[in-house]
Amino acid sequence: MHIAVAGNIGAGKTTLTRLLAKHFKWEPHFEDVVDNPYLDDFYHQMERWSFNLQIYFLNSRFRQVLQIRESGKNIIQDRTIYEDAHIFAPNLHAMGLMSNRDFNNYTSLFELMESLVGSPDLLIYLRSSIPNLVSQIHKRGRDYENSISIDYLSRLNERYEAWIQTYDKGKLVIIDVDNIDFVNNPEDLGNIINRIDAELNGLF
């Protein structure tokens, strides 16, 4: 089984992935931010490095999905291949930070990859307001994220909402993270677990 967690920067994907993996005994697969050779350059010079960064993520995510399918295990994945293609790359293109040529090349590659991999059995989308995202980003204090603007986060949020409204590739659970604390409040985490159980097992 393949579960995936989607959401904007700072929405809590990695933390929730870790907690759900522990509870359900799923194997977690995390986003490769530590070893990503483009991330720091990208945040300092977006136009120069946007295509390189997106291709790196696409390659990494495609490889991950293939490994998930081949493993035969129950796996929960932090971020999906769709978010790069439907949110991050189009946003960079719309902001003039990725050329038409690069964007078309990227999109063509994504469509080819998408045709070769299955979609997740369940997608968990973490919906968050901008103030909450900003607060979480500051709290974790990653140097390269300090330069992320509120405008950039807002544009991403709009694209996330547009994408999730039309998502039809499988089961979907939407969690509004603004008014819950699944890290420190066991009841909030329990409610999320119950919703996931119900979606996967048809329990109401």
Side-chain angles (χ1 to χ4, degrees), residues 75-94:
I75 286 172
I76 182 164
Q77 181 189 23
D78 173 2
R79 190 164 270 156
T80 66
I81 198 168
Y82 306 115
E83 289 162 86
D84 294 307
H86 293 291
I87 290 128
F88 288 89
N91 182 58
L92 290 166
H93 180 237

Side-chain angles (χ1 to χ4, degrees), residues 138-157:
H138 284 312
K139 209 180 282 182
R140 68 187 181 194
R142 292 177 184 161
D143 285 346
Y144 60 80
E145 289 181 343
N146 288 339
S147 56
I148 298 176
S149 69
I150 287 175
D151 176 58
Y152 182 66
L153 285 174
S154 300
R155 287 167 180 266
L156 294 178
N157 242 18

Side-chain angles (χ1 to χ4, degrees), residues 7-195:
N8 205 343
I9 302 163
K13 295 181 299 299
T14 304
T15 306
L16 186 63
T17 297
R18 201 171 277 125
L19 291 169
L20 293 178
K22 187 178 176 186
H23 174 83
F24 287 104
K25 310 263 187 298
W26 292 334
E27 184 178 300
H29 281 219
F30 296 105
E31 189 173 34
D32 182 10
V33 291
V34 179
D35 298 323
N36 188 322
Y38 295 105
L39 210 50
D40 196 42
D41 287 327
F42 166 73
Y43 279 122
H44 287 99
Q45 207 181 345
M46 286 186 167
E47 193 170 353
R48 164 65 185 87
W49 296 105
S50 63
F51 180 70
N52 307 65
L53 178 77
Q54 290 305 312
I55 289 294
Y56 180 89
F57 274 133
L58 190 62
N59 175 30
S60 163
R61 217 93 62 190
F62 181 63
R63 197 178 298 271
Q64 219 178 27
V65 175
L66 289 181
Q67 287 168 351
I68 288 168
R69 290 294 169 185
E70 286 165 9
S71 74
K73 297 176 182 173
N74 292 331
I75 286 172
I76 182 164
Q77 181 189 23
D78 173 2
R79 190 164 270 156
T80 66
I81 198 168
Y82 306 115
E83 289 162 86
D84 294 307
H86 293 291
I87 290 128
F88 288 89
N91 182 58
L92 290 166
H93 180 237
M95 290 174 76
L97 297 169
M98 188 186 290
S99 69
N100 289 340
R101 180 178 59 178
D102 284 349
F103 182 65
N104 292 337
N105 187 3
Y106 174 88
T107 303
S108 170
L109 188 57
F110 166 73
E111 286 168 357
L112 174 65
M113 289 177 168
E114 189 186 21
S115 71
L116 298 172
V117 295
S119 52
D121 299 294
L122 173 68
L123 179 71
I124 301 164
Y125 170 59
L126 304 185
R127 173 178 279 151
S128 174
S129 67
I130 299 302
N132 186 53
L133 294 174
V134 170
S135 165
Q136 293 302 323
I137 289 167
H138 284 312
K139 209 180 282 182
R140 68 187 181 194
R142 292 177 184 161
D143 285 346
Y144 60 80
E145 289 181 343
N146 288 339
S147 56
I148 298 176
S149 69
I150 287 175
D151 176 58
Y152 182 66
L153 285 174
S154 300
R155 287 167 180 266
L156 294 178
N157 242 18
E158 285 170 16
R159 289 184 182 275
Y160 265 107
E161 287 301 318
W163 168 61
I164 219 69
Q165 297 304 326
T166 60
Y167 182 80
D168 59 359
K169 296 185 181 300
K171 294 178 177 179
L172 172 67
V173 168
I174 298 175
I175 297 164
D176 198 323
V177 296
D178 272 16
N179 302 311
I180 62 170
D181 183 356
F182 54 75
V183 178
N184 300 306
N185 186 340
E187 196 178 323
D188 285 342
L189 180 60
N191 288 336
I192 293 172
I193 286 166
N194 290 341
R195 288 185 62 195

